[in-house]
Amino acid sequence: MSSSRRTEVAQLARRLADAHPQQVLEEAFQHFEQVAISFSGAEDVVLVDMAAQLGIPFRAFSLDTGRLHPETYRYLDTVREHYGFDLEFAFPDAAEVESLVNAKGLSSFLADGHKECCQARKVAPLKRKLAGLDAWITGQRRDQSVGTRGEVAVVELDAAFSTETRPLVKFNPLAAWSSAAVWDYIRANDVPYNPLHARGFISIGCEPCTRAVLPNQHEREGRWWWETAADKECGLHAANLRVVND
Ligand code: SF4
């Protein structure tokens, strides 16, 4: 990877470290031609809303793992229609999922841990999607997991998906925002939200691996609750969490 790209990203990271998320989005769209928001169907809808408010064309994509809640599928269409844009989808490779399910059944993650299933249903399709981008934008926040996301930077070189010849920049505009700030924004701007949030879900992923949490329970306790906290990354972000921006 060229040192000029590293320098460029380091400068961007320093300049945007304390910037408002909408400014980060705007600069991401200005600096990169092939850039898209990764939209999970949860609170990261604020990024879609902020991008729409900028009034410039933008791209967003979701991963359809095949195991999302029915509410999330309906919600993804709600967002698409509300903002009037073509939400893109990335799907797992059918043969890969078929092979896993035929060998281990539909719920192998309960016995073997979630990483194998996440690799087939999330990481592989994401990798294919990112191969066509120069930069991507996520809703990751530091307060989502003190254990694994406490060092999320606003701008970083993607340590998981960059290659020597194709550096990938990752923007996390909401890195410094709290959950309360996100919900203040959603309410103040009448942003449509996933109805699962009204039923106690905070972090929303696949249906078999997500459950509602009780008051004062951390949101990540609703994900892969049969595993230890240190294992609760699906591979989409895990390798980025210790990246230094210079
Ligand atoms: S979250 Fe669960 S169902 Fe979804 S890809 Fe990962 S292990 Fe599979």
Side-chain angles (χ1 to χ4, degrees):
M1 191 180 303
S2 77
S3 62
S4 64
R5 173 49 64 95
R6 283 187 186 280
T7 306
E8 182 193 351
V9 173
Q11 286 170 347
L12 211 50
R14 273 194 288 276
R15 195 156 53 72
L16 296 177
D18 300 313
H20 187 278
Q22 198 163 19
Q23 187 193 341
V24 178
L25 276 172
E26 190 168 17
E27 298 232 12
F29 294 132
Q30 280 171 354
H31 272 82
F32 296 93
E33 199 175 326
Q34 300 301 331
V35 54
I37 297 168
S38 169
F39 174 45
S40 73
E43 302 161 316
D44 50 353
V45 66
V46 301
L47 295 175
V48 175
D49 189 84
M50 286 178 184
Q53 302 306 332
L54 286 171
I56 53 178
F58 68 93
R59 288 174 64 189
F61 69 91
S62 294
L63 301 175
D64 181 358
T65 63
R67 302 298 297 265
L68 303 179
H69 295 78
E71 289 88 345
T72 300
Y73 283 114
R74 284 194 286 275
Y75 174 62
L76 291 171
D77 260 356
T78 299
V79 169
R80 184 178 190 274
E81 285 155 22
H82 183 86
Y83 293 104
F85 75 109
D86 292 334
L87 178 60
E88 301 166 29
F89 284 91
F91 292 91
D93 177 72
E96 195 177 345
V97 172
E98 216 171 79
S99 157
L100 173 64
V101 171
N102 285 344
K104 297 190 169 184
L106 284 160
S107 306
S108 61
F109 39 81
L110 293 174
D112 295 349
H114 70 275
K115 289 186 178 160
E116 187 177 23
C117 181
C118 280
Q119 173 63 34
R121 293 182 185 270
K122 289 182 173 181
V123 180
L126 177 65
K127 198 172 177 182
R128 283 195 295 277
K129 187 72 184 174
L130 295 179
L133 298 177
D134 302 318
W136 64 310
I137 302 166
T138 87
Q140 271 197 290
R141 302 193 319 269
R142 292 175 197 131
D143 77 342
Q144 286 170 321
S145 172
V146 177
T148 62
R149 296 191 176 186
E151 295 174 22
V152 169
V154 172
V155 187
E156 58 194 358
L157 268 177
D158 192 309
F161 298 105
S162 288
T163 65
E164 272 306 308
T165 52
R166 192 174 178 83
L168 181 72
V169 178
K170 187 178 181 189
F171 289 87
N172 306 302
L174 302 174
W177 272 31
S178 63
S179 177
V182 168
W183 280 95
D184 282 349
Y185 182 96
I186 289 173
R187 277 189 293 269
N189 294 281
D190 277 332
V191 177
Y193 57 83
N194 191 322
L196 291 171
H197 289 304
R199 290 171 26 202
F201 288 78
I202 299 179
S203 177
I204 298 174
C206 292
E207 184 277 333
C209 303
T210 310
R211 67 179 179 181
V213 292
L214 293 168
N216 295 319
Q217 252 191 318
H218 194 276
E219 63 184 83
R220 297 301 280 184
E221 291 183 56
R223 302 291 295 277
W224 306 298
W225 54 92
W226 61 93
E227 298 180 8
T228 61
D231 292 327
K232 292 189 182 188
E233 291 294 341
C234 56
L236 304 190
H237 305 294
N240 288 298
L241 297 170
R242 288 177 298 280
V243 170
V244 181
N245 294 303
D246 58 18

